[in-house]
Structure formats: C-alpha cells, structure tokens
Amino acid sequence: MLPDLGRPGIALFQIPARKDNYIYLLHDEEVNLTAAVDPSDAAPVTDFLSAKGWGLDYIFSTHHHHDHTGGNEALRAATGCHVIGFEHDADRIPGIDIRVEEGERVTFGRFSAEILYLPGHTLGHIAFLFSGLKLLFSGDVLFSLGCGRLFEGTAPQMFDSLRKLRRLPGDTWVCCAHEYTEANGRFALTVEPGNEALQRRLREVAVLRRAGEATVPSLLADECAANPFLRADSPEIRLMLDMPYATDAEVFARLRAMKDVF
Ligand code: ZN
Ligand code: FE
C-alpha cells in the first residue's frame, strides 16, 4: 500500500516495469508538477501520464544503470522534462541536464529533496530524501530486507552509505526500485532466524505477493528491525556468522558476500 503523504494535493504512485522494477511518480496537483524516479522505460510512464492527463517535469535518476535510466532520453524528448542526476556521474546518466551534489537540495514545487551520496552499488549512486514528505527514493542502495550488490564500490563504502540511511527518522518510507523482498527475506531468515520482526514481515510479504501486490515502500523503522544489512550489530547474526568480536563493517561485508552466493 502506498503511503498517504499527509499533505493535501501531493501523491505518490508506483508503476511496475520490466521484471521487478518500480518507477515512482510524484504528482503535486496544487502546482501541477510531476516527477518520475528511475524510469527504466519510457512507455509505462507515458501511458500512465496520458491516462492522467499530466505532463512530466522532472526525472530523478539515482544511478546510471540501464534499468533505472533506460527511459530518460525518450521521456525528455517527449515531455521536455529535466533530468536530475549526480554531478560526478553526469557522463553516465542519459539526458542529464541538472547536476547535483551531496547535500544539495532540489526543489519540487512546494517541497524539496536533499541529495544523499551513497556509493557502494555504483560509485555515483545518490538518493533523494524528501524529509517533508517522509519519502526516501533509495534506488538500488537499500531494498526491503536487502541491499544492492557491490558492482563498483567496496563493502566499507556500502556500509557507510547504509549507516547514513539508518540514522534517518524511522517513519521515513523507503521507496526502493525493485521487488526483491521475498528473495531477500529467504536469505535474512538464514542469518537471523529468531528475529520476530523479520518473521512478521515475511508473513506480511507472503500475503502481499500472493495477492500480486507490491511489498514496497516500507518503513525505515521496520527495515532497521528486520533487514540484516542494517543489523550488523545483532547478537544473533554475529553468533550465526561466528564473528563475535568483528566490527560491524566486517559483519556487513560477510553478509554481503554470503548473499552474493546464496
Ligand atoms: Zn542498479
Ligand atoms: Fe536496478
């Protein structure tokens, strides 16, 4: 279920794309602005927009991978929208025309997002944090019950990126770009079988998937309670991995390596 943003006029939408991608749409009817997050393809977005009678003003690109940017050029050509992406990855973000840095704010009508630089999955990965709407567009950094693979960055980099997210308010909705929750949960259960929050979440996920519904966005507080990649300090995980005296970063690195071959 998509969250009610609690502010009149603005709403969040989720368009399934490809095998397991989600494209998010943020629409503010008060100022008639629309943004798409990580459009893997143009067609599902243009279909949705024309059904609603909306234009497209912005694309928020979290990172360069094709399953997140495949629709950028065509959408920009069709709608004249701006493409916002990371300054230091500009040569890999198709259609980019607004370049942003860590800590910068991007304005979306009455609201704005803070740019968080979160290397690990790629070296140019960013997230868009709308504190006023309690929304985090986390791309492929943080998934429900999982985290992104380390394609470019190192485990310590990803650990720091996730630690940054862990410090955000627990009532933040994590809007990730993939429906990976069920598979992530199977791994999570092997490293923390006694975690009741995880067990509860898995029951909920099973019900949602059986009904053909999305399991994301999820609340950051629930991720902190159930997602092993945010829980390197968990005594049970440390016991299961036989790493009682390792640092949290070392436990995280081991978890990530185990998940790669799970
Ligand atoms: Zn990716
Ligand atoms: Fe992806």
Side-chain angles (χ1 to χ4, degrees), residues 23 31 59 100 118 131 149 152 166 169 175 191 197 221 234 240 262:
I23 304 166
V31 293
I59 289 172
V100 293
L118 305 171
S131 299
R149 277 178 191 267
E152 296 174 7
R166 207 167 85 147
C175 304
V191 294
S234 150
M240 292 296 289
F262 179 72

Side-chain angles (χ1 to χ4, degrees), residues 6-208:
R7 307 287 291 266
I10 188 154
L12 179 70
F13 301 85
Q14 185 184 44
I15 308 170
R18 301 201 178 185
K19 191 167 146 272
D20 48 32
N21 273 79
Y22 289 124
I23 304 166
Y24 294 94
L25 237 64
L26 202 53
H27 177 74
D28 191 339
E29 67 181 18
E30 209 154 292
V31 293
N32 193 28
L33 279 179
T34 308
V37 185
D38 284 358
S40 54
D41 303 275
V45 178
T46 49
D47 288 353
F48 191 94
L49 292 172
S50 50
K52 295 279 192 184
W54 299 340
L56 185 66
D57 302 283
Y58 298 103
I59 289 172
F60 301 146
S61 282
T62 64
H63 67 297
H64 74 90
H65 284 159
H66 197 256
D67 62 316
H68 299 254
T69 57
N72 284 14
E73 305 266 22
L75 285 169
R76 192 177 161 190
T79 66
C81 69
H82 293 289
V83 178
I84 304 178
F86 189 47
E87 157 101 64
H88 305 289
D89 223 358
D91 52 344
R92 298 197 293 180
I93 310 277
I96 188 171
D97 65 338
I98 298 179
R99 297 152 189 242
V100 293
E101 291 246 35
E102 148 85 14
E104 214 173 294
R105 297 198 80 89
V106 303
T107 303
F108 179 72
R110 303 174 286 158
F111 302 96
S112 71
E114 184 187 343
I115 303 302
L116 307 179
Y117 175 51
L118 305 171
H121 177 69
T122 69
L123 285 175
H125 202 301
I126 56 172
F128 295 79
L129 173 66
F130 283 87
S131 299
L133 298 169
K134 301 185 188 300
L135 292 179
L136 172 75
F137 295 107
S138 64
D140 284 357
V141 174
L142 178 60
F143 297 125
S144 185
L145 303 183
C147 75
R149 277 178 191 267
L150 305 177
F151 284 119
E152 296 174 7
T154 64
Q157 277 175 324
M158 188 61 142
F159 177 74
D160 283 342
S161 294
L162 292 171
R163 192 158 54 173
K164 224 161 149 179
L165 297 183
R166 207 167 85 147
R167 285 196 293 258
L168 299 177
D171 59 356
T172 304
W173 290 96
V174 180
C175 304
C176 66
H178 289 280
E179 181 60 64
Y180 289 162
T181 315
E182 216 162 26
N184 287 341
R186 278 194 288 277
F187 171 75
L189 202 56
T190 64
V191 294
E192 204 175 15
N195 181 336
E196 284 174 23
L198 173 61
Q199 295 163 6
R200 250 194 327 273
R201 174 70 172 142
L202 288 175
R203 285 195 293 272
E204 174 187 274
V205 165
V207 171
L208 287 168

